[in-house]
Amino acid sequence: EGGGDMAAGGAGDREGWCGAAAGGLALLGLAPGAPSCPHGPALLFVKTSQGKEEGRRFYACSACRDRKDCNFFQWEDEKVSETRLAAREEYNRNHQPFFTHRQNVERYKNFVLLPLSKRRFCQECQQLLLPDEWEKHSDHQFLCDISTAQLKSPSRLLYPLENKKTNAQYLFADRSCQFLLDLIIDLGFRRVLSVGTPRLHEIIQSKASQEEDFRVRSLLLDIDFRYSQFYAEDEFCHYNMFNHYFFGGEAARETCRKFLYQHNGERVIMVADPPFGGLVEALASSFKKLMAMWKEAEEGGHNSQEMPTFWIFPYFFESRILEFFPSFSMMDYQVDYDNHALYKHGKTGRRQSPVRIFTNLTPSMIVLPVEEGYRFCAICQRYVSSGNQHCEICNSCTSKDGRQWKHCVLCKKCVKPSWFHCSNCNCCALRNHTCEKTDAGCFVCGKAGHKRSTCPSLSHA
Ligand code: SAH
Ligand code: ZN
Ligand code: ZN
Ligand code: ZN
Ligand code: ZN
């Protein structure tokens, strides 16, 4: 029925919400009474131009930015007939995974009882196979002799979903994953709410099952249901972090709530590594709900405290994240990935990753590895990249990307080393930039001959 909706709504009207980042669409958020697609309640959007809301509002899938993955569309003011509502409900039911989480747990129990020679994993269906299912998958590629080690490391068995627009599964490089775990342990945390961090979850669970004195536990919240084949119901919840939706309903929500309850003072930290195309406001709103869950789970109450959090995201989202979480600060640590061509370290020299850790913990407590060149800045009271020089004028270590930035007296701030001050644009930019168009008219007053930065209708202090 989603297809029918698209036809009715006009396929051309929705570009997929990647357009939102470009300023074409604005997210209005989770509205009460929003219709649902197979991924839970849809989000409300509106088309914008020049920062102003324009045109009809509409609902679209929260999780999928690519229409090919979920084409749910509904105008906000659209009347949906009873018949269509019923059809939609049925569609949503039919688009849930074939096996339930509970069934997958049962299957796993049977799977591990099999001798190695009978343990097969279908690569096409991304599914552990029981012998009576081999027949059905006979013309599929499969792996055999699935070892216990492989079962403990599903992020290596499953192929990463690299669909850029929807899932974008970028797995931590071992060095970054180990760094995060060591940091979490050193900070004294005992429970990790792993939101979209299957690889971190898996090293924690794997250590917990192998080392007797390893006390850390993790709960994975992820939209990738393939993981339900490997984890019990108190280790994994099928969850959508764009609308805070637990596919497993109240029971799953309760699992999460229980996990956040800090028995015997076992401290909890949330670590989230969302897809980067993701809408910051949708993510922030879900994280706030998880933080509220943590707060409620506490008997005594934490008063003004916030659940300790690491939000892993590219540095260029810093101002957006701080808008929603003023208590957060960005760490210089560069998070590396295995399967991301741009963001991983090369075999030889180090390629810079733009991905950082945003946290509400005191920056001075986040100790970064000196072997990798990070050093402590006594004035800023935090660890910074080797190239990040303390600027006397800004009185802070100003580099965001690890390179040494330079101070521009005219802009009154530090800028990227490759930038120069352009007197035309009245700000710093790349040398070969195209100056802000003057012929199109000023963004502020609409008159030709000047641009917004020199608009006479604005009084410049
Ligand atoms: N670096 C992490 C993986 C981050 S990739 C690690 O190595 O553990 C982003 C993760 O978010 C993936 O696991 C993906 O399945 C998950 N994800 C993508 N969209 C999601 C959504 N809407 N809700 C919850 N999880 C989502
Ligand atoms: Zn959907
Ligand atoms: Zn400094
Ligand atoms: Zn400066
Ligand atoms: Zn210019």
Side-chain angles (χ1 to χ4, degrees):
E1 81 101 32
D5 266 353
M6 276 313 302
D13 287 305
R14 188 186 157 213
E15 297 144 6
W17 51 250
C18 48
L25 296 176
L27 172 70
L28 298 170
L30 253 186
S36 285
C37 71
H39 307 94
L43 297 177
L44 190 58
F45 292 86
V46 66
K47 264 203 159 175
T48 58
S49 85
Q50 299 216 320
K52 272 183 274 179
E53 290 185 11
E54 238 175 41
R56 274 163 97 185
R57 300 166 169 214
F58 62 89
Y59 292 103
C61 175
S62 59
C64 306
R65 286 169 295 153
D66 195 332
R67 274 212 302 268
K68 285 199 288 293
D69 298 316
C70 179
N71 59 7
F72 183 85
F73 182 96
Q74 186 191 306
W75 294 115
E76 187 193 27
D77 55 9
E78 190 177 333
K79 283 269 167 286
V80 183
S81 68
E82 288 298 321
T83 342
R84 263 180 77 205
L85 277 180
R88 181 182 286 169
E89 256 168 47
E90 193 186 330
Y91 177 90
N92 290 349
R93 262 197 310 278
N94 292 340
H95 282 75
Q96 294 311 318
F98 184 71
F99 291 116
T100 63
H101 192 172
R102 181 147 311 155
Q103 285 171 320
N104 273 338
V105 172
E106 276 310 305
R107 294 168 56 79
Y108 183 87
K109 281 186 193 152
N110 293 326
F111 191 87
V112 293
L113 294 175
L114 296 169
L116 211 55
S117 62
K118 290 196 168 164
R119 291 192 194 171
R120 288 189 183 174
F121 174 76
C122 177
Q123 288 180 299
E124 252 170 271
C125 305
Q126 292 284 295
Q127 194 192 317
L128 296 171
L129 298 182
L130 297 170
D132 61 349
E133 295 161 340
W134 289 2
E135 183 77 47
K136 265 192 289 179
H137 299 259
S138 57
D139 51 358
H140 294 174
Q141 295 261 21
F142 61 85
L143 296 172
C144 0
D145 301 339
I146 303 299
S147 66
T148 307
Q150 281 174 297
L151 292 173
K152 284 192 195 308
S153 194
S155 78
R156 284 162 216 273
L157 189 59
L158 303 166
Y159 63 74
L161 304 171
E162 287 197 57
N163 174 338
K164 289 246 157 30
K165 284 188 165 175
T166 299
N167 259 75
Q169 227 158 25
Y170 296 120
L171 299 164
F172 293 133
D174 288 336
R175 127 159 87 191
S176 284
C177 204
Q178 195 59 52
F179 163 75
L180 284 169
L181 179 57
D182 291 344
L183 181 61
I184 288 166
I185 294 171
D186 290 345
L187 290 167
F189 292 103
R190 285 295 173 77
R191 287 157 181 266
V192 183
L193 185 66
S194 296
V195 185
T197 56
R199 190 155 270 182
L200 178 63
H201 175 73
E202 113 191 356
I203 63 165
I204 295 173
Q205 294 304 85
S206 166
K207 271 188 196 280
S209 71
Q210 278 156 18
E211 299 169 23
E212 219 176 282
D213 53 354
F214 187 82
R215 292 269 138 71
V216 186
R217 295 293 177 272
S218 170
L219 173 66
L220 176 64
L221 306 186
D222 202 288
I223 202 163
D224 186 353
F225 193 67
R226 297 176 305 171
Y227 282 99
S228 70
Q229 300 178 84
F230 306 90
Y231 298 118
E233 284 168 290
D234 59 355
E235 296 170 315
F236 169 76
C237 295
H238 191 201
Y239 174 78
N240 182 349
M241 63 170 118
F242 291 117
N243 57 3
H244 187 61
Y245 180 68
F246 285 86
F247 292 79
E250 193 43 46
R253 202 176 271 276
E254 190 51 35
T255 297
C256 183
R257 209 174 279 133
K258 271 215 188 92
F259 185 82
L260 295 177
Y261 175 79
Q262 310 187 130
H263 300 271
N264 321 315
E266 288 189 339
R267 298 177 59 223
V268 188
I269 183 167
M270 166 161 69
V271 181
D273 188 6
F276 304 146
L279 294 168
V280 175
E281 48 271 75
L283 293 168
S285 130
S286 297
F287 297 160
K288 283 187 196 243
K289 285 175 185 154
L290 289 169
M291 287 169 160
M293 244 180 172
W294 171 83
K295 217 170 206 172
E296 284 160 21
E298 215 42 37
E299 287 168 339
H302 293 269
N303 309 322
S304 60
Q305 261 173 284
E306 210 172 59
M307 168 162 64
T309 300
F310 289 163
W311 178 349
I312 298 167
F313 226 52
Y315 71 82
F316 33 84
F317 283 102
E318 183 185 23
S319 59
R320 299 285 291 134
I321 291 181
L322 298 195
E323 231 177 84
F324 295 100
F325 293 106
S327 61
F328 280 29
S329 41
M330 186 176 86
M331 301 295 101
D332 268 20
Y333 184 78
Q334 303 196 358
V335 180
D336 288 316
Y337 295 86
D338 259 357
N339 59 332
H340 201 299
L342 283 174
Y343 301 168
K344 73 181 173 198
H345 287 269
K347 282 238 158 53
T348 53
R350 191 181 165 134
R351 222 186 247 153
Q352 306 272 7
S353 159
V355 184
R356 303 288 183 271
I357 300 168
F358 293 84
T359 185
N360 50 5
L361 296 173
T362 311
S364 63
M365 297 191 340
I366 313 295
V367 180
L368 304 186
V370 176
E371 323 81 79
E372 289 179 42
Y374 298 99
R375 61 177 178 87
F376 189 71
C377 173
I379 308 170
C380 297
Q381 283 291 301
R382 66 177 182 104
Y383 283 80
V384 295
S385 312
S386 54
N388 196 355
Q389 293 295 311
H390 192 86
C391 169
E392 299 293 337
I393 309 166
C394 297
N395 194 27
S396 111
C397 290
T398 45
S399 171
K400 303 291 181 194
D401 61 10
R403 296 178 298 170
Q404 184 176 343
W405 285 24
K406 56 181 189 187
H407 192 86
C408 170
V409 212
L410 295 167
C411 291
K412 296 193 179 70
K413 64 177 185 189
C414 283
V415 297
K416 289 184 176 174
S418 50
W419 286 14
F420 294 89
H421 194 85
C422 168
S423 50
N424 235 350
C425 295
N426 203 17
C427 66
C428 283
L430 280 171
R431 211 193 272 286
N432 60 357
H433 73 286
T434 5
C435 291
E436 250 183 85
K437 282 201 188 75
T438 47
D439 53 343
C442 169
F443 183 82
V444 178
C445 70
K447 291 191 189 115
H450 65 269
K451 53 226 166 328
R452 75 179 122 174
S453 49
T454 51
C455 180
S457 74
L458 297 174
S459 57
H460 288 276

